Amino acid sequence: MNLDKNRNEDWMKLMLSEVKRQMEIVKLGGGKKSIEKQKERNKLTARQRIDYLNDADKPFIEIGAFAGHGMYEEEGGCASGGTVAGIGYISGRQCIIVANDQTVKAGAWFPITGKKNLRMQEIAMENRLPIIYLVDSAGVFLPMQDEIFPDKEHFGRIFRNNARMSAMGITQIAAVMGACVAGGAYLPIMSDETLMVEGNGSIFLAGSYLVKAAIGEDIDNETLGGADTHTSISGIADYKFKTEVECLDHVKKIMNKLASPANAGFNKIAPAKPLKDIESIYSIIPEGNLKPYDMLEIIELLVDNSEFDQFKKDYGKTILCGYARIDGWAVGIVANQRLVSKSKKGELQIGGVIYNDSADKAARFIMNCNQKKIPLVFLQDVTGFMVGSRSEHSGIIKDGAKMVNAVANSVVPKFTIVIGNSYGAGNYAMCGKAYDPRLIFAWPSAKIAVMGGDQAAKTLAQIQVATMKSKGKEVSAEEEKLLLDTIKDRYYQQTTPYYAAARLWVDGIIDPAQTRQVISEGINAANQNPHIESFSTGVFQV
C-alpha cells in the first residue's frame, strides 16, 4: 500500500513540477529581450504592476495564466493570452485586475486575448467586484482581425460590458501605462476614472502615422494623445503622473475610499484547518488515474476539521454529496466517487460513472443547497453516465437530465475542480465550463474530453479504416496500428489540462494543495453580490 502511495505521490509531484516549469516560461511573457525594453523605457512589466498593486498580505488568484499556451506558434506565441489577470486585493478591497502584457506582440489582442478579457469582466459582473484595467496595448492583432473584431464574443463586447458594468454600479478604473489605440481607446473613457503616465501613456483613435496617411497632418503621438493633452485639452483623462509607481499609488488611494460592499449572506464562521496533513493529497490519485480510490480522502483534506456530513450516504454511492466548511464558509459538495460499490439491489457499480440513483441523489442535494443558499463545490472525476440496456430501461437519460437541470438552474455560486477525468455528459452534469461555475480549475491530473482516449481513438480509427476500405483500398494490420497510434497521440494531447487551460475551458491549473484557498477566495468574491435569483428547475421528467 505504501509503495502505491509513494508511486502516486511521485507521479503527481512530477506533473506539478512540470506545471511550475511551464509557468516560469509563461511568466517571461514575450521573452527577456522584450522585458529589457520595458525597463529601458522606465516601464514595469504587467506582472510587476500587479505585484505592486496587490496587497502584500493577501493572495492573488491568477486566471488564465496558460491562455494561448501552444497556440499561435506561427505568430510567435501569445503567453497568457497577452494579458495577466486575476482576483486580488487593493487597499483591502477584493477586485479584478487586468493588465495588458506589452512584451507580447506590443500587447496586441489575439482571439484568446478577447476571450480572456471577457472572462475577467464576466467574473467582475457575476460577483460585483471592482475591476482595474492596466492598459498598455497596440490594439487588435491585424493578421487575425476576422477572428477578434465583429462577433458577439469578440473585441467590441468589451466596451458593451464597460457600459453594462457601469449601469450595475461596478467600479471600473483604467490606468493607461502605455499605448491605447483605435477601438481600445474607448475602454479607459468608459471606465469611471482614467489615469495616465506622462511620456508613455497615450490614447487616440489613430496614431500619428495613420493620421498622416489619412488626412495629411504631421503630429507626434504625445501631442496627439499623451497625458498632458488629455488632462489639459480634451478632458478625457482625470489624472496624470510622472511615473508608473505614482500612478499605481493613486489607484490604491481610489480603492481605499470605496464604500463597503453589500453581501449575499453566505454562512461563515472561524476557519479551521483539516485534521489531516495536506501533503497526503498528492498520494491519493493512482498513477494515470487508472485505479479506484476513495474521493472521501480528498474531501477530508479540503474541508475544515475534516468534517463532511454526507447526504444519503448509503444511496447512489458513485456520487458523494454532503455539507462541510471550507475556510469557514458553509458549502455543499458534489463529488464523483471512484471506489467500486454495490447498489441497493446488490449490483456492482463502477466508480466514476453516474448511475440512475447517484444522478437522482445529486439532483435532490443540489436543489437543497439552492433552497438553503449554500454555495456548491463540484469535484470532478467522472467518465460519464452508465450505458447499456439495464440503465436505458431504468431511465438513465431521464435521471441524468434531472441532474443537469438542477445544475443549470442553480442560483447559488458554483465552483468546479477537475481532479481527474471529465468525460462526456459527465462534464456537464458535474458543472463543466458550459454551466457557469464562478471559477473552474484543474489539477495536473485532469483530463477533459468527450470520451476516454482509448475508446475515442479506436472509434475514430475504425471509421477511417472503414472509409478507406469502402473506397477499395487495402489496409494492412501495420497500417491500421499506425493510424490508431497517430489518432491516439493527437487525442491525448487534446485531453491534457494545458490544452483546456489554453482555451480557457478551465481558469487555470493549480497545485492540489491550493484548492482550499481558490474555493475560499471564490466564495468571498461571490458573497459581494447580494442579488440572488429565486430558484426554479422548470419542467423535467420525474
Side-chain angles (χ1 to χ4, degrees), residues 35-183:
I35 291 173
E36 285 303 316
K37 286 181 181 178
Q38 287 281 93
K39 290 180 181 177
E40 290 169 8
R41 298 174 63 190
N42 294 317
K43 296 175 70 173
L44 300 172
T45 66
R47 292 184 181 276
Q48 287 172 332
R49 290 164 180 166
I50 289 176
D51 286 345
Y52 186 83
L53 266 184
N54 197 69
D55 294 350
D57 61 340
K58 294 287 188 178
F60 177 74
I61 306 298
E62 185 165 356
I63 305 292
F66 285 104
H69 185 76
M71 301 167 67
Y72 316 116
E73 293 301 313
E74 292 182 5
E75 291 78 17
C78 187
S80 289
T83 303
V84 183
I87 305 172
Y89 290 82
I90 301 175
S91 300
R93 183 67 182 269
Q94 195 178 31
C95 60
I96 300 294
I97 309 174
V98 181
N100 299 122
D101 189 345
Q102 208 273 340
T103 71
V104 180
K105 294 288 184 181
W109 286 60
F110 284 69
I112 196 66
T113 315
K115 186 174 183 178
K116 180 171 178 177
N117 278 262
L118 288 171
R119 172 64 176 148
M120 300 315 300
Q121 289 185 321
E122 178 185 46
I123 294 171
M125 288 189 282
E126 285 178 332
N127 300 294
R128 298 296 198 275
L129 292 180
I131 184 166
I132 316 301
Y133 306 102
L134 305 181
V135 185
D136 195 348
S137 171
V140 166
F141 184 63
L142 289 177
M144 305 184 80
Q145 64 86 26
D146 61 320
E147 297 180 50
I148 184 61
F149 169 63
D151 211 342
K152 181 178 178 180
E153 301 304 327
H154 284 178
F155 190 66
R157 188 79 171 182
I158 302 289
F159 316 125
R160 175 264 187 194
N161 286 350
N162 286 144
R164 292 293 304 126
M165 283 191 283
S166 184
M168 293 165 70
I170 296 172
T171 297
Q172 300 177 82
I173 301 169
V176 182
M177 331 287 283
C180 184
V181 301

Side-chain angles (χ1 to χ4, degrees), residues 252-524:
K252 294 181 181 183
K253 287 182 180 179
I254 295 172
M255 292 295 290
N256 189 43
K257 295 177 178 63
L258 294 186
S260 298
N263 68 75
F266 299 130
N267 187 283
K268 187 178 186 182
I269 62 173
K273 292 183 177 180
L275 299 180
K276 299 183 179 181
D277 182 7
I278 190 63
E279 279 294 310
S280 61
I281 201 167
Y282 302 113
S283 63
I284 296 173
I285 298 185
E287 182 179 3
N289 201 13
L290 298 173
K291 297 179 181 178
Y293 66 90
D294 192 353
M295 179 65 82
L296 192 58
E297 289 185 51
I298 290 176
I299 292 173
E300 290 174 346
L301 286 164
L302 299 179
V303 302
D304 293 13
N305 290 317
S306 299
E307 292 179 357
F308 180 56
D309 300 324
Q310 284 203 54
F311 175 80
K312 293 185 183 290
K313 180 180 178 181
D314 298 319
Y315 180 75
K317 293 183 179 180
T318 64
I319 287 185
L320 299 175
C321 297
Y323 303 101
R325 290 188 182 274
I326 293 180
D327 199 33
W329 293 105
V331 296
I333 296 176
V334 181
N336 302 113
Q337 175 59 289
R338 285 298 303 272
L339 288 177
V340 175
S341 61
K342 285 188 177 182
S343 72
K344 57 186 180 294
K345 297 178 182 178
E347 300 159 346
L348 279 181
Q349 293 190 323
I350 303 166
V353 178
I354 303 176
Y355 289 79
N356 299 73
D357 51 0
S358 48
D360 181 69
K361 176 173 85 171
R364 176 61 180 268
F365 179 73
I366 290 165
M367 290 190 283
N368 279 354
C369 287
N370 276 273
Q371 184 85 344
K372 298 182 177 80
K373 299 295 186 287
I374 298 174
L376 283 158
V377 174
F378 292 84
L379 304 178
Q380 284 195 7
D381 193 347
V382 57
T383 53
F385 286 87
M386 190 58 190
V387 298
S389 60
R390 180 175 293 172
S391 290
E392 297 291 0
H393 296 170
S394 298
I396 187 64
I397 299 173
K398 175 184 66 177
D399 291 323
K402 190 188 306 180
M403 183 177 173
V404 168
N405 192 310
V407 173
N409 285 299
S410 284
V411 295
V412 295
K414 306 184 291 280
F415 303 90
T416 302
I417 308 295
V418 185
I419 287 174
N421 300 322
S422 180
Y423 294 158
N427 171 280
Y428 305 155
M430 291 296 294
C431 197
K433 183 65 182 291
Y435 288 77
D436 297 323
R438 295 291 177 95
L439 294 174
I440 175 169
F441 281 92
W443 283 11
S445 47
K447 293 180 181 179
I448 302 174
V450 73
M451 66 174 71
D454 287 342
Q455 302 96 307
K458 287 176 182 176
T459 302
L460 290 168
Q462 286 170 3
I463 292 170
Q464 289 193 29
V465 168
T467 301
M468 287 187 285
K469 287 181 177 179
S470 70
K471 294 179 180 179
K473 183 178 178 181
E474 292 293 326
V475 183
S476 67
E478 291 77 13
E479 289 175 319
E480 197 166 330
K481 183 181 183 304
L482 179 62
L483 178 63
L484 177 62
D485 290 342
T486 302
I487 292 172
K488 192 180 292 186
D489 288 343
R490 185 175 70 245
Y491 194 87
Y492 275 121
Q493 288 175 5
Q494 295 176 354
T495 67
T496 68
Y498 297 102
Y499 195 90
R503 289 151 183 81
L504 291 173
W505 300 345
V506 295
D507 292 319
I509 307 170
I510 59 170
D511 182 335
Q514 191 188 0
T515 306
R516 265 173 63 87
Q517 183 187 63
V518 166
I519 295 170
S520 175
E521 290 300 321
I523 300 175
N524 189 51

